[in-house]
Amino acid sequence: MCGIFGYIGNQQATNLLINGLRRLEYRGYDSSGIAILNSKISHTKCIGRVANLESVLPENMDGNCGIAHTRWATHGGVTKENAHPHLSEDGTVAIIHNGIIENSRALRNWLIAEGVTLQSETDSEVLAHLIHRARCDGLSPLDSVRRALRQTRGTWGLCALFEDEQMIVCARNGSPLVIGVGDGESFVASDPHALTPHTQRVIFLEDGDLAVLTAGGVQTSRLDGDSSDATVTTIDQSWGVADIGDFPHFMLKEIHEQPESLRQCISGRTVLSEGNGKLGGLDLSAKKLLEISHIRLIGCGTALHACQVGRLAIEHMARVPTQSHVASEFRYNNPVISPAALYLAVSQSGETADTLSAVKEIQLKGGTVMGVINVVGSSIARQCGRGVYIHSGPEQAVASTKAFSNMVASLTIFSLQIGRARSLSKRDGKQVVKALNAIPNQVEKYLEDSGPIMEAVQAVKDAPHVLFLGRGASAPVAREGALKLMEVAYIPCLAYPAGEMKHGPIALLEEGSPVVVICPNDKFRAKTLSNVQECKARGAKIILIHDEGDDEAAIEADIAIAVPATHSVISPLLTVVPLQLLAYHVAVELGRDVDKPRNLAKSVTVE
Ligand code: AGP
């Protein structure tokens, strides 16, 4: 989603800003812009890629201080006018903004009534005018931003530049901003990984924080004028932007990284002799695990599907009632929060606004919420304070692949830990631990020979819609397969628990309709194969994901894709891989922008 990068120091800012935006490109955006301070503020913006912006930059855009932005449209279409930065009418104030100004309509009307000519359809532009008006009233840059934000309702990651001041004023509320502390220079970005080439010393701003950046340092304070608790921390340099290597796309690279990232996630976190899991970051004793009344897992998109797999694993192993929730719905349904329950917020980016809001709602109502997160130091990880890092490493492609696997693996380890504290026998626990430890090699083996994926691509690529079916742990895998194909190939997909198909979606089937069925050799297999018959009877073309050696199942399919067999609780870790490959190859075949699909953002920082 929208990205922010800012710089003040002794270097020429323009190239630094463009490179900073490049490191934010993976988040998804539709336009970009830059403002540089010299004697005056000069600015350029355009729609499309950062490369377009670079190609239209005027040659003499020199200066040691500037701000740059990638925009993902919310209020107002994808136009040059709506791209950031936005400037005050006299051009002396420039702002870039992530988030949503909820009372922008009223503020726009008021500004127009005051005689201001607005240049864009955006909610963000009002900030430039409000700040400028405060400057005209004689307030300092910092106090001008403070006053403007007090007139505003909503979320912001904001940077403001002033014609007559060598500084950038930043503010955060609900939209991440990280300050990079350099030697004689300061940086700001919406994503810490944009900062790592320059500095590892960062300040994560909290909601309600403001910061004044100069070449000499950073001064933080609170919106209400109090002092801020913000401190400098050191982030891991190794978490840079991943190199694409010899792969044509990050998505394919990340699919192939799964064996290694699963090893990173599982290693040292299971105890075979005890059949147990060991997640130190939870800081939950066996006694505390025994006292948990119920568990709620919360996430969006792929993370939600991982929650749905995790829910089944937890109930299976620990016999504790568990629910998974769509994060965007959670907070608004006035959820009953019990102090005896455990809440787990699952997110790759750790910045998803819907999930973060759910976390805050739970905490506000006295619940305990822990993170199951990939990005170290992200907003949700910090808001939760405790939890599990899934250790996928950087995921660049908008379509999440290796993070799904590591979320499922992490939740499986959690299931073992709570299971062993409650009802899971050592013998059964050992079986899961053994199976889990074998998974990375099994995924590796499957990726060496992924079966007739390209045949499946031909069956799917021109279809008007694709139906995905599965039962038990394979039902969320079906949803994940459908989500992947929709987001990267733009083919409408439906996913249903296989038994539910005859209650409606079967009406879609006609001669040649592709139906992808996930059917590992678990207790649901026979029933799923009956549903396959029902589809075949209506002319559907069956693409079946089944266990290696299960020839009885394979024979029912038009295209049969075998994956290594494993324990039924963790079969999603294998069955999801051919679905990821299917989505990827269909998207390539259709000429889609695989790593940056249209309209999507990697990090969804607005609700
Ligand atoms: C996955 O392929 C999607 N791009 C999307 O659904 C994603 O999983 C969702 O936005 C949640 O993101 P998070 O894991 O960073 O919270």
Side-chain angles (χ1 to χ4, degrees), residues 251 298-305 327 346-356 372-375 380 390 395 397-401 403-404 407 480 483-484 487-488 597 600-604:
M251 183 177 175
I298 299 146
C300 301
T302 289
L304 175 67
H305 299 148
V346 181
S347 173
Q348 187 284 128
S349 62
E351 300 295 349
T352 303
D354 293 316
T355 312
L356 183 58
V372 179
I373 308 288
N374 191 33
V375 178
I380 301 175
I390 65 170
E395 196 180 62
V398 164
S400 186
T401 53
F404 172 82
M407 286 168 184
E480 177 58 9
L483 176 70
K484 285 288 92 83
E487 65 180 336
V488 297
L600 288 171
K602 181 67 181 162
S603 193
V604 185

Side-chain angles (χ1 to χ4, degrees), residues 166-238:
Q166 280 291 325
M167 64 170 64
I168 302 171
V169 180
C170 310
R172 172 193 164 135
N173 187 48
S175 213
L177 265 194
V178 193
I179 310 295
V181 182
D183 224 354
E185 53 188 3
S186 304
F187 304 82
V188 57
S190 49
D191 183 329
H193 315 305
L195 299 176
T196 48
H198 307 289
T199 179
Q200 277 68 60
R201 299 178 63 230
V202 301
I203 299 171
F204 289 101
L205 294 184
E206 299 295 341
D207 287 351
D209 277 346
L210 288 106
V212 176
L213 271 61
T214 60
V218 181
Q219 287 288 331
T220 57
S221 58
R222 301 286 298 162
L223 187 56
D224 59 13
D226 284 355
S227 55
S228 143
D229 295 334
T231 49
V232 178
T233 53
T234 303
I235 51 170
D236 186 358
Q237 189 172 17
S238 66

Side-chain angles (χ1 to χ4, degrees), residues 313-561:
I314 295 168
E315 287 205 337
H316 177 83
M317 291 192 239
R319 311 305 301 152
V320 54
T322 305
Q323 287 276 309
S324 57
H325 293 271
V326 175
S328 55
E329 289 290 297
F330 188 79
R331 162 157 94 133
Y332 297 102
N333 288 335
N334 192 15
V336 178
I337 302 299
S338 161
L342 178 66
Y343 299 83
L344 295 175
V346 181
S347 173
Q348 187 284 128
S349 62
E351 300 295 349
T352 303
D354 293 316
T355 312
L356 183 58
S357 296
V359 167
K360 289 179 181 169
E361 171 78 8
I362 294 162
Q363 291 174 334
L364 204 68
K365 290 182 168 172
T368 302
V369 55
M370 301 199 186
V372 179
I373 308 288
N374 191 33
V375 178
V376 177
S378 56
S379 299
I380 301 175
R382 286 179 298 114
Q383 184 73 30
C384 291
R386 273 192 291 167
V388 183
Y389 281 120
I390 65 170
H391 297 315
S392 296
E395 196 180 62
Q396 300 281 300
V398 164
S400 186
T401 53
K402 59 179 181 167
F404 172 82
S405 296
N406 280 26
M407 286 168 184
V408 170
S410 303
L411 291 171
T412 306
I413 299 169
F414 172 70
S415 309
L416 278 164
Q417 198 167 332
I418 185 165
R420 289 290 291 122
R422 299 169 79 110
S423 54
L424 185 70
S425 71
K426 190 189 280 191
R427 195 182 65 108
D428 289 350
K430 277 179 161 180
Q431 279 179 10
V432 178
V433 172
K434 264 192 203 153
L436 191 61
N437 283 307
I439 284 282
N441 288 348
Q442 288 181 303
V443 174
E444 200 158 63
K445 176 168 173 262
Y446 170 71
L447 285 169
E448 278 162 17
D449 175 9
S450 55
I453 291 286
M454 296 316 285
E455 249 185 81
V457 170
Q458 293 310 314
V460 159
K461 75 179 177 56
D462 298 317
H465 53 78
V466 183
L467 181 59
F468 286 74
L469 302 174
R471 286 171 180 254
S474 300
V477 177
R479 288 184 205 110
E480 177 58 9
L483 176 70
K484 285 288 92 83
L485 188 58
M486 274 192 289
E487 65 180 336
V488 297
Y490 319 151
I491 296 176
C493 296
L494 269 185
Y496 265 80
E500 191 65 8
M501 184 255 322
K502 58 189 173 297
H503 298 288
I506 197 166
L508 293 176
L509 299 183
E510 52 191 4
E511 200 57 42
S513 300
V515 179
V516 181
V517 185
I518 298 95
C519 184
N521 195 356
D522 56 17
K523 67 180 178 191
F524 303 100
R525 172 180 170 278
K527 290 269 186 270
T528 305
L529 289 177
S530 299
N531 301 131
V532 166
Q533 294 300 340
E534 291 155 9
C535 295
K536 282 170 70 172
R538 272 100 194 154
K541 189 159 197 171
I542 305 295
I543 300 162
L544 191 85
I545 315 299
H546 65 93
D547 281 0
E548 242 167 37
D550 188 358
D551 298 338
E552 257 180 51
I555 209 147
E556 300 299 341
D558 294 284
I559 301 165
I561 301 172

